[in-house]
Amino acid sequence: MSDKMKLVIIGGVAGGASAAARARRLNEDAEIILIERGEFVSFANCGLPYHISGAIADRERLLVQTPDTLYANLRIDVRINTEAIQINRSSKQVIVKNKLTGEEQGLSYDKLILSPGAEPIIPTLPGVDNPRIHTLRSMSDMDKIIRLIKDNKPTNSLIIGGGYIGLEMAEALRELGIDVVLVELAPQVMASLDPEMAAPIHQQLKLNGVDLRLETSVTSFTEQDEYVGVNLSTGEKLDVGLVIMAIGVRPETKLAIGAGLALGERGGILVDDHMLTSDPDIYAVGDAVEVKDFVSGFAALVPLAGPANKQGRIAADNAMGRDSVYKKTQGTGICKIFDLTTGMTGNNEKTLKRINRNYEKIYIHPTCHASYYPGASQISLKVLFDPDDGKILGAQGVGLDGVDKRIDVMAAAIRAGLTVFDLEEMELSYAPPYGSAKDPVNYAGYTASNFIRGDVDICHTNDMLSPSDNQILLDVRTAEENMLGTIPGSINIPLQQLRDRIGELPSDKELLVFCQVGLRGYLACRILKQKGFKCRNLTGGYKTYTMATDALPQPPETITETTDANISMPASKETEPANIVKAIDACGLQCPGPILRIANEIKLIKDGEAIEISSNDSGFAQDISSWCNSTGNRLISLDTQNGIYKAVVQKGAAPAKQLDSADSKKKSIVVFSGDLDKAIASFIIANGAAAMGSEVTMFFTFWGINILRKPEPVKVKKNIIESIFGWMMPRGADDLELSNMNMLGIGSLIIKGIMKKKNVPSLPELIKTAQRSGVHLVVCSMSMDLMGIKKEELIDGVDLGGVAMYLDKAESGNVNLFI
């Protein structure tokens, strides 16, 4: 190849700029021309939300390279505000257009590298061209958003999409004191995570004042005087001062398609492992290309800066005659959401299911560093691996601190083809401020390896939600922990008592054992297995169960938002400052450690005195409020800063389960009947109460459970009696009969027809309205077991509970109906 070769690169930022710099280092005499249609050739687009928030104060810090610095240092001819509009492959020429003057010219090339990036997805909705609606992909996008905030001073905003940009912008706008509604069409944010690992993010968003609307979309926009009218799929209408469109991106392939280059099955530019397109003189890199997934080998689109930089370097190597190969993409990523960090690498469980890959999973919830050193906080790690050879397939993490380095270690392990057995042996840096002698990475290795070696069998949340007749759920936590919440239908024998009470357990049934995070469950299973019992341990324990069922409690009603987006304070009648007689540092204690700590300490002080307690457990904000409500103590204040929750609790300042004005708005309805007319009446009452601001719980037992059955058959394992019951009973709201005048089903058809004619919603519609209104639908787990109904047969959004739960709701309200 001649030293005077001519390289043209279309597109800057990560892929194009790195290709240009690498090419110059390899060939000092080559003519290198970099075409960029925007004003900025190389900038840190990942930093854009942080300049909007003010975290990065100096805008110039985002400019990695300028045309002047690239020419001065590397003699690269950079042409900004210039757009490539056509590639003529036969003549090896690119037609470019100056966006400022409109002038067009042809540029010849010996080798061409395409780095056009990806374009934001903007749905074709009515009113989407409103000037208050923005995307965030470039410096100019950022400048427009900052200018709108400065000039119009919006007090509220809407973010569409819960990916990286959506979450980072939610934090940025809350930091500026702007209210945020975030809508996401999927049932979770951050699609690269599995649902249970996204649950703490949902909680973090809500704790920081973000109004999160999952499974919700925008249907249209309307222009108002000073706002954008937003119509949601729920029927609700919002008026907001700013809209950020962060649905996602698609590969920018217009130029490639025009040139006749091949596209891949996912719609990106098709390249080989040398980043070469279907043309032998054209390479492509970055967000526009389709790559191979490192774990599965399947085609993937991965719009991340790290892979784009590597691909740019490899394309330049090959363009300059050096053989260089790109070794697939892992999709390693990380995101900051207020005080929380989440990271992932490799395949998630959703992907492994889709490609039918054999896998197993474990969860652990250790602290980020030695628990006795100040500032220790909990990390939740999920590791996916091959159950036969232990090869690591993917990992996800969420926590306040230390997530980044654990995910990076996992990413390196996947890249090296290591197994969970290798994780056991890893020698990682340790000192109390940074880690533990048994690092979370080692801990994950031990947990997964114990399963493969047969030391313990494991089970998952789905097993706990629908145990078979020959299974018993065993909670081996303390009685105090059990009182704070447990899995419905379980029995409680604390680990410390297990050996003495082992005779209480049936030897002919399988025991599904759980503790808080999995360790005590493992110890219990080791005891039970050696005593001849068949048992499995719930990996990750009750902590994982609450994440997987999205059972994390919502912020308590007594907490209202203040002007600081990171601080929530409980409404209180107290005017005198609390008499704090003791301060407790419970940071580093895993749930329910902080609650148990204050429960013990508050016994030692006098009525009216107060304790201040600090915790960095993500569930503490809800736990402390619930505990105070149950025990008759008062939550005086609750705030959070830098991931540390600080609560002040006054002893004996309120009666437990006090029936006040708020409780008078609580209603409970027991639905025993499965008759159509009674079911309609119960939901009309429930919807009416919800519309008047009441908190409504409907408890379905025996025949009433049939109201909530899915209309279609569901494949579940049943014995003969259960199958007969299921065949004889009605399947769902549309299959119910009238209590009187049913007339072999004619009466039911008549009443449904009258309801339709009178514009009265049908029973299925009434059920959906109740769910949207926040009515809590609970099914008696004991009745389900007796009637052979499985959880999978019920409609979505229904919880299981027992008599104690119902009585708790009934006693706290002033209306209790039995239908």
Side-chain angles (χ1 to χ4, degrees), residues 347-392:
N347 284 177
N348 58 28
E349 188 174 359
K350 293 178 288 189
T351 299
L352 294 173
K353 284 181 177 179
R354 188 177 70 248
I355 65 176
N356 293 318
R357 175 70 159 87
N358 187 32
Y359 73 92
E360 187 51 90
K361 59 185 177 181
I362 58 95
Y363 301 85
I364 60 170
H365 305 282
T367 53
C368 63
H369 60 244
S371 59
Y372 55 82
Y373 187 86
S377 61
Q378 194 174 59
I379 297 175
S380 293
L381 281 177
K382 175 179 183 178
V383 178
L384 298 141
F385 58 96
D386 189 306
D388 296 322
D389 60 14
K391 186 176 182 179
I392 305 165

Side-chain angles (χ1 to χ4, degrees), residues 27 443 799:
N27 191 331
Y443 185 12
D799 292 330

Side-chain angles (χ1 to χ4, degrees), residues 349-614:
E349 188 174 359
K350 293 178 288 189
T351 299
L352 294 173
K353 284 181 177 179
R354 188 177 70 248
I355 65 176
N356 293 318
R357 175 70 159 87
N358 187 32
Y359 73 92
E360 187 51 90
K361 59 185 177 181
I362 58 95
Y363 301 85
I364 60 170
H365 305 282
T367 53
C368 63
H369 60 244
S371 59
Y372 55 82
Y373 187 86
S377 61
Q378 194 174 59
I379 297 175
S380 293
L381 281 177
K382 175 179 183 178
V383 178
L384 298 141
F385 58 96
D386 189 306
D388 296 322
D389 60 14
K391 186 176 182 179
I392 305 165
L393 305 176
Q396 300 163 46
V398 61
L400 296 174
D401 190 23
V403 171
D404 51 347
K405 69 177 181 179
R406 273 68 190 212
I407 292 298
D408 283 346
V409 171
M410 291 293 184
I414 291 173
R415 176 64 62 172
L418 301 185
T419 70
V420 295
F421 304 111
D422 296 309
L423 298 184
E424 291 182 293
E425 304 301 328
M426 281 189 173
E427 188 174 334
L428 303 172
S429 59
Y430 160 60
Y434 303 104
S436 301
K438 183 167 68 176
D439 190 86
V441 171
N442 302 131
Y443 185 12
Y446 296 139
T447 304
S449 299
N450 283 341
F451 163 75
I452 296 177
R453 293 187 179 107
D455 291 338
V456 64
D457 292 322
I458 59 177
C459 59
H460 301 290
T461 297
N462 287 341
D463 300 306
M464 312 303 280
L465 290 173
S466 55
S468 64
D469 291 340
N470 66 339
Q471 292 174 327
I472 297 291
L473 307 188
L474 175 61
D475 183 350
V476 296
R477 299 173 301 159
T478 65
E480 292 82 2
E481 291 175 275
N482 179 271
M483 288 175 60
L484 287 172
T486 190
I487 300 176
S490 62
I491 60 175
N492 179 220
I493 301 179
L495 176 64
Q496 295 88 339
Q497 303 173 18
L498 182 59
R499 290 180 176 88
D500 297 328
R501 298 175 58 185
I502 204 165
E504 299 176 24
L505 296 172
S507 58
D508 61 338
K509 294 184 181 293
E510 182 182 40
L511 302 174
L512 303 183
V513 183
F514 68 96
C515 62
Q516 189 63 28
V517 296
L519 177 58
R520 284 172 290 172
Y522 166 67
L523 297 175
C525 274
R526 292 301 302 156
I527 295 170
L528 293 166
K529 189 172 183 178
Q530 294 178 74
K531 294 294 184 180
F533 286 86
K534 184 179 180 182
C535 64
R536 288 190 284 159
N537 182 35
L538 174 62
T539 177
Y542 186 68
K543 170 80 172 178
T544 298
Y545 171 86
T546 60
M547 291 166 61
T549 57
D550 205 15
L552 294 169
Q554 301 301 312
E557 292 182 2
T558 54
I559 295 180
T560 57
E561 195 71 24
T562 68
T563 54
D564 186 333
N566 288 327
I567 297 179
S568 297
M569 298 286 286
S572 174
K573 299 178 182 178
E574 297 295 317
T575 56
E576 297 293 327
N579 178 23
I580 300 174
V581 297
K582 191 165 189 177
I584 302 172
D585 182 3
C587 292
L589 295 181
Q590 297 182 12
C591 173
I595 297 299
L596 298 178
R597 182 77 186 277
I598 194 170
N600 290 329
E601 297 289 348
I602 209 162
K603 298 174 184 177
L604 307 178
I605 66 174
K606 301 176 182 177
D607 285 352
E609 294 179 337
I611 289 178
E612 180 184 85
I613 179 169
S614 300

Side-chain angles (χ1 to χ4, degrees), residues 777-790:
L777 306 182
V778 183
V779 172
C780 175
S781 55
M782 181 273 293
S783 297
M784 283 181 61
D785 188 52
L786 289 177
M787 301 175 72
I789 297 176
K790 307 300 182 183

Side-chain angles (χ1 to χ4, degrees), residues 104-138:
E104 294 184 7
Q105 72 172 114
L107 292 177
S108 63
Y109 65 84
D110 293 315
K111 297 293 182 181
L112 179 65
I113 298 178
L114 303 181
S115 181
E119 58 182 348
I121 297 173
I122 302 177
T124 55
L125 297 174
V128 76
D129 56 349
N130 190 293
R132 294 177 182 270
I133 301 174
H134 293 269
T135 58
L136 182 60
R137 191 70 179 164
S138 66

